[in-house]
Amino acid sequence: MVFDALDDGGHEQVSYFSDPETGLQSIVAIHDTTLGPGLGGTRILDYESEDAALEDVLRLSGAMTLKAAAADLDLGGAKAVILGDPAEIKTEALLEAYGRAVECLGGRYITSVDVNSGVDDMEIVRRTTDHVVGLRDGLGDPSPITATGVLAGIRACVEHEYGADSLDDVEVVVQGLGKVGSALASDLIARGAAVTISDVSEDNVERFLAEHDADVVAPDAVYDEPCDVFAPCAIGGVVNDETVSRFDCDVVAGAANNVLAERRHAGALADRGILYAPDYVINAGGLITVAEEHRGGNRETAFERAKAIQDRLLSMIERAEDAGTTVLQAADDYANERIERGERTTPAVAGD
Ligand code: NAD
């Protein structure tokens, strides 16, 4: 069963780790290392079954390969899961045992933060492995860099849709005013865009309005709000069978992961003449940040690489138009071709 799953997904390696003394049960899936070591976070979850954990780690690691390749990073895709309720199992001893597991993969897998694993946990993991990023003395909170990448992606979409290289008077709805959404909304306003915000947290809305001028739309009316660009920066699955006919915009481009409930919704948006910027292309700033940390770059180089999303996305949009396909398909093709060519693009940094 496991070999079939590996073959189906094109995975290179899946490693199971068990440490009865600490209760560690972990699966590391390395999907593809053609472009570099597989980088992906460690998700700690109380899965229904071992099969469910395997399915999740296989899916997530494959997605990391595409994300890294489409971001022009010299990294492959991998991911890890630790099975169990984080409130019960997450001890220093378990995280140290997990670090030893990562270490024995010899650098083919680089771990980082993910659901239920944070910077403090990675500080413990680093005691027993060198192959970990997202550390306290690393490049810090990636959210402003993610926001810069999303802004760059929105610029590409606006350039394509309206032939404009400015965001002046472009109407943008930002759904979710968390770490990324608030930075994005603020950047957009600074560039002359007319921003409408929406969040289930009134506190977050009030906090933003105390410093910025923006309109507000209620969370349940957000999909009907007329605008040029809808920027989902809250939760996944917002483009679904129920919402897809409601959008009154030309572009959907935001930070949220898994924006599409299902892949087919990219086509449904395209059928309505709405340009969809693939989430994994436009929200790559977080991965870019830890990749820069790994290669010894700094926040400035990470911001620069996030800005490069603009030209890359524009070329994907043009490619989709030429091929009569969705931008999502064009992005997948771009990433897969880079892997097929084994093309490494990262310029050397001092010390490389
Ligand atoms: P966050 O938790 O800081 O903010 C999320 C915000 O969305 C909160 O203000 C929350 O109140 C709001 N929200 C939740 N449900 C909502 C709803 N139904 N309608 C409106 N608002 C709602 O998260 P974040 O770090 O800003 O990330 C936002 C999204 O971007 C997530 O999907 C995340 O996975 C993705 N992402 C983040 C990064 C990063 O660097 N932080 C990188 C890549 C992708």
Side-chain angles (χ1 to χ4, degrees):
M1 183 268 165
V2 177
F3 281 118
D4 286 346
L6 262 76
D7 290 348
D8 287 351
H11 289 75
E12 290 178 9
Q13 176 181 1
V14 174
S15 305
Y16 282 68
F17 295 95
S18 167
D19 182 54
E21 211 167 292
T22 61
L24 174 73
Q25 289 191 328
S26 172
I27 312 174
V28 179
I30 299 175
H31 179 254
D32 191 294
T33 56
T34 308
L35 299 175
L39 194 158
T42 301
R43 184 163 289 198
I44 307 179
L45 271 186
D46 198 4
Y47 288 98
E48 262 174 32
S49 65
E50 287 173 26
D51 283 352
L54 176 64
E55 197 181 312
D56 206 28
V57 77
L58 291 176
R59 180 181 61 82
L60 293 166
S61 56
M64 290 307 294
T65 299
L66 279 184
K67 188 166 189 167
D72 277 355
L73 297 171
D74 288 347
L75 288 173
K79 202 89 178 186
V81 292
I82 295 176
L83 288 71
D85 178 353
E88 285 175 20
I89 63 154
K90 209 163 74 171
T91 61
E92 289 196 23
L94 179 136
L95 292 170
E96 286 177 0
Y98 175 64
R100 283 191 290 278
V102 172
E103 184 65 18
C104 86
L105 293 168
R108 278 171 54 72
Y109 170 56
I110 304 160
T111 195
S112 191
V113 297
D114 200 86
V115 175
N116 294 326
S117 72
V119 174
D120 291 345
D121 301 318
M122 293 307 126
E123 286 295 326
I124 299 170
V125 169
R126 91 187 290 186
R127 293 176 192 162
T128 46
T129 184
D130 292 334
H131 309 296
V132 52
V133 287
L135 297 164
R136 203 169 289 135
D137 56 2
L139 296 195
D141 180 10
S143 307
I145 297 166
T146 303
T148 294
V150 175
L151 182 77
I154 289 175
R155 295 185 91 107
C157 296
V158 165
E159 190 177 335
H160 177 265
E161 289 294 293
Y162 312 120
D165 62 2
S166 127
L167 293 173
D168 266 345
D169 299 326
V170 174
E171 294 176 358
V172 186
V173 168
V174 178
Q175 180 192 38
L177 287 175
K179 295 183 289 296
V180 181
S182 58
L184 174 68
S186 162
D187 285 354
L188 284 163
I189 291 168
R191 281 161 184 78
V195 171
T196 299
I197 57 171
S198 185
D199 199 298
V200 288
S201 157
E202 282 180 23
D203 284 353
N204 286 4
V205 170
E206 290 308 321
R207 200 174 307 129
F208 189 81
L209 290 179
E211 292 184 17
H212 303 89
D213 188 17
D215 289 333
V216 181
V217 60
D220 52 2
V222 73
Y223 306 110
D224 310 303
E225 184 69 14
C227 60
D228 299 314
V229 180
F230 178 83
C233 297
I235 51 169
V238 296
V239 179
N240 54 47
D241 287 342
E242 196 267 317
T243 59
V244 77
S245 60
R246 291 171 61 187
F247 287 107
D248 190 0
C249 61
D250 296 324
V251 174
V252 172
N257 279 313
N258 307 316
V259 166
L260 305 174
E262 290 176 47
R263 187 180 172 87
R264 66 185 167 84
H265 291 114
L269 284 176
D271 290 346
R272 292 205 51 222
I274 298 173
L275 174 62
Y276 168 65
D279 47 5
Y280 76 85
V281 174
I282 192 169
N283 76 10
L287 178 61
I288 288 170
T289 306
V290 286
E292 282 300 290
E293 181 177 327
H294 182 251
R295 69 192 281 270
N298 55 42
R299 276 184 84 81
E300 281 63 44
T301 55
F303 272 111
E304 285 314 308
R305 298 200 81 157
K307 286 180 192 159
I309 288 173
Q310 181 170 350
D311 287 346
R312 204 176 311 122
L313 178 60
L314 196 55
S315 74
M316 291 169 182
I317 295 170
E318 285 164 359
R319 182 181 172 146
E321 240 178 15
D322 290 347
T325 180
T326 61
V327 185
L328 180 59
Q329 187 58 50
D332 287 2
D333 292 345
Y334 176 93
N336 284 322
E337 285 167 17
R338 226 192 119 216
I339 295 163
E340 273 161 32
R341 291 195 302 271
E343 180 185 88
R344 296 170 67 92
T345 55
T346 312
V349 291
D352 265 9

